[in-house]
Amino acid sequence: MMEVNSIQQITTPWAGSRGLTTGLMLTEIYQDVWTGQLLLSMGMPIQAAVAPQVIYQLQFDYLLGYRVLEGTDALEEMDDDDSGSDSQIHLITPSRFLIWFHQQSQGIHLDKDIQHYRIASWDYCVDVLAAQEPLVKQHKQKE
């Protein structure tokens, strides 16, 4: 068996996240199993007892897999090259998660251009394998 953790991952801010608000919490993960769509909502915490106001959503339409890790559990999975960027959405290359996925699926998706997106907030880390960039849906701020 291959030692998966021997691969050094590189973190690069995803170009599509330029200009997005940072420091947000993950407020909701919704998967529509019928369409295969994954929707991640990000919001700004305002009060402890009130759900954060959603600032934007990431919509993945061509999803191959994802995993969710809680704060402290995610530290183990963070990259060897954590560039300290203020972006919350990164591309991971090469990807231990993607290599594991190809092993599990016996290589049937090797012909697809699958990217590993990491959406990190202080409370959760979501790793998404998708063959298409996510759509960013901005929400209007309430005054």
Side-chain angles (χ1 to χ4, degrees), residues 56-127:
Y56 67 83
Q57 292 178 310
L58 291 176
Q59 177 181 314
F60 290 91
D61 290 322
Y62 194 5
L63 177 71
L64 290 137
Y66 71 98
R67 66 181 177 193
V68 181
L69 297 172
E70 251 186 282
T72 53
D73 299 326
L75 293 177
E76 283 291 309
E77 242 333 283
M78 283 305 172
D79 305 304
D80 308 317
D81 171 49
D82 198 346
S83 55
S85 123
D86 61 357
S87 173
Q88 286 190 263
I89 309 168
H90 292 88
L91 288 172
I92 311 295
T93 52
S95 162
R96 296 175 199 143
F97 185 32
L98 183 54
I99 289 167
W100 172 86
F101 171 79
H102 284 312
Q103 288 172 337
Q104 298 305 305
S105 61
Q106 300 181 334
I108 61 170
H109 299 287
L110 282 168
D111 60 332
K112 294 180 178 73
D113 182 20
I114 303 170
Q115 298 295 319
H116 175 176
Y117 295 87
R118 170 162 293 155
I119 298 88
S121 65
W122 62 271
D123 52 348
Y124 287 96
C125 174
V126 182
D127 289 298

Side-chain angles (χ1 to χ4, degrees), residues 29-46:
I29 300 171
Y30 172 76
Q31 181 182 7
D32 185 326
V33 178
W34 185 255
T35 65
Q37 188 179 85
L38 179 70
L39 202 59
L40 303 178
S41 299
M42 304 290 289
M44 186 61 72
I46 297 166

